[in-house]
Amino acid sequence: ELSSHFEDTVLAMFYPEDVRDARFLYKAMKGLGTDEDCLIEILTTRTNYQIRKIKEAYKEKYHKDLEAAIKDDTSGDFKRFLVILLQGNRDESYTIDCKLAKCDAEALFKAGEKFWGTDEAKFNEIFCNRSFPQLRATFYEYEKIAGHSIKKAISKEFSGDLEDGLKAIVEIADYLPYYFARKLIKAMHGAGTDDDTLVRIVVTRCEYDMFEIKDEFKKLAKKSLYSWIKDDTSGDYRR
């Protein structure tokens, strides 16, 4: 018989990627309360193909559409943000259209800081559909227009889960390993450990970019990820 967190880790490693992510999402919405951070992390960092496979796995395992489950568990502009991501329609090319970046930056400025009120739909449209290289170019152009970063603009114009979701996309567009390193620090900072986040990131990224994440973690935390996990966990779960 395995201890709770060790069992979670072993099971997460055992399942195929799509089933594993479907299970994470189901757990995030199960019972009272929602782990919005988990929803944001998975739906912003997976490819279009991965999202389609996750939806299929969720439907097969839980006999309910993932989109319907998310609509039942979230609301407002954050719900619309997640539903757009669930469509799996993000441009995945590496080509940067400089003219489009300038147009999108101006559109975001008009939708947010330039006038009173915020057009959340315009932010959702651009953030959830443009490629990450294209978004990097757009955020660069935005800073030239506004005189400050897009992150600062998001802090001024948004709050709550949608603010977190949009900022996650900014960090992912900048450098994906940085995004995960920051989340790992947050999961182990202070009293107690967010074991769900720790297990999820370590298991899902170990075959992709864990070396890069460890490098970013050390830059941010001034301590290795190995050392931090060793100090923050125990027993078979730590090993």
Side-chain angles (χ1 to χ4, degrees), residues 15-24 53-54 57 61-62:
Y15 286 107
E17 285 185 359
D18 53 347
V19 177
R20 183 171 60 206
D21 280 343
R23 285 171 56 88
F24 286 140
K53 297 297 289 183
I54 292 167
K61 186 167 183 62
Y62 301 110

Side-chain angles (χ1 to χ4, degrees), residues 54-121:
I54 292 167
K55 290 194 291 185
E56 292 171 5
Y58 194 96
K59 180 67 176 289
E60 182 176 345
K61 186 167 183 62
Y62 301 110
H63 309 291
K64 183 174 183 178
D65 286 333
L66 178 55
E67 183 172 328
I70 285 178
K71 284 181 176 179
D72 288 345
D73 227 55
T74 58
S75 61
D77 292 307
F78 181 59
K79 174 174 72 176
R80 287 184 278 275
F81 169 81
L82 295 177
V83 168
I84 295 173
L85 291 172
L86 266 176
Q87 307 316 304
N89 288 327
R90 185 180 296 282
D91 176 13
E92 294 182 323
S93 69
Y94 292 96
T95 303
I96 296 174
D97 184 332
C98 295
K99 184 177 180 180
L100 178 62
K102 291 178 181 178
C103 288
D104 279 350
E106 183 63 41
L108 290 171
F109 186 61
K110 289 179 180 177
E113 297 181 271
K114 189 172 184 179
F115 301 112
W116 184 85
T118 305
D119 181 357
E120 292 87 355

Side-chain angles (χ1 to χ4, degrees), residues 50-202:
Q50 287 173 323
I51 288 173
R52 287 194 292 272
K53 297 297 289 183
I54 292 167
K55 290 194 291 185
E56 292 171 5
Y58 194 96
K59 180 67 176 289
E60 182 176 345
K61 186 167 183 62
Y62 301 110
H63 309 291
K64 183 174 183 178
D65 286 333
L66 178 55
E67 183 172 328
I70 285 178
K71 284 181 176 179
D72 288 345
D73 227 55
T74 58
S75 61
D77 292 307
F78 181 59
K79 174 174 72 176
R80 287 184 278 275
F81 169 81
L82 295 177
V83 168
I84 295 173
L85 291 172
L86 266 176
Q87 307 316 304
N89 288 327
R90 185 180 296 282
D91 176 13
E92 294 182 323
S93 69
Y94 292 96
T95 303
I96 296 174
D97 184 332
C98 295
K99 184 177 180 180
L100 178 62
K102 291 178 181 178
C103 288
D104 279 350
E106 183 63 41
L108 290 171
F109 186 61
K110 289 179 180 177
E113 297 181 271
K114 189 172 184 179
F115 301 112
W116 184 85
T118 305
D119 181 357
E120 292 87 355
K122 178 56 67 175
F123 274 79
N124 282 348
E125 174 195 339
I126 292 173
F127 275 62
C128 297
N129 289 309
R130 299 290 189 258
S131 71
F132 290 117
Q134 185 67 37
L135 285 173
R136 276 199 303 274
T138 299
F139 300 154
Y140 174 75
E141 294 296 332
Y142 188 95
E143 190 161 349
K144 291 200 291 186
I145 294 170
H148 55 252
S149 71
I150 189 71
K151 254 192 171 181
K152 185 173 181 179
I154 292 169
S155 294
K156 290 169 62 178
E157 297 294 321
F158 296 91
S159 61
D161 298 321
L162 183 55
E163 177 186 1
D164 292 341
L166 294 174
K167 285 183 174 178
I169 289 176
V170 174
E171 291 184 0
I172 293 163
D174 184 39
Y175 190 46
L176 183 59
Y178 169 83
Y179 167 74
F180 282 117
R182 188 188 60 77
K183 282 179 64 66
L184 285 169
I185 291 172
K186 183 180 177 182
M188 294 184 286
H189 184 72
T193 301
D194 180 353
D195 295 287
D196 287 342
T197 298
L198 178 58
V199 169
R200 188 174 63 245
I201 294 177
V202 170

Side-chain angles (χ1 to χ4, degrees), residues 22-39:
R23 285 171 56 88
F24 286 140
L25 291 169
Y26 178 78
K27 184 177 181 180
M29 296 181 283
K30 183 181 178 182
L32 295 175
T34 303
D35 184 352
E36 291 89 358
D37 197 47
C38 173
L39 303 183

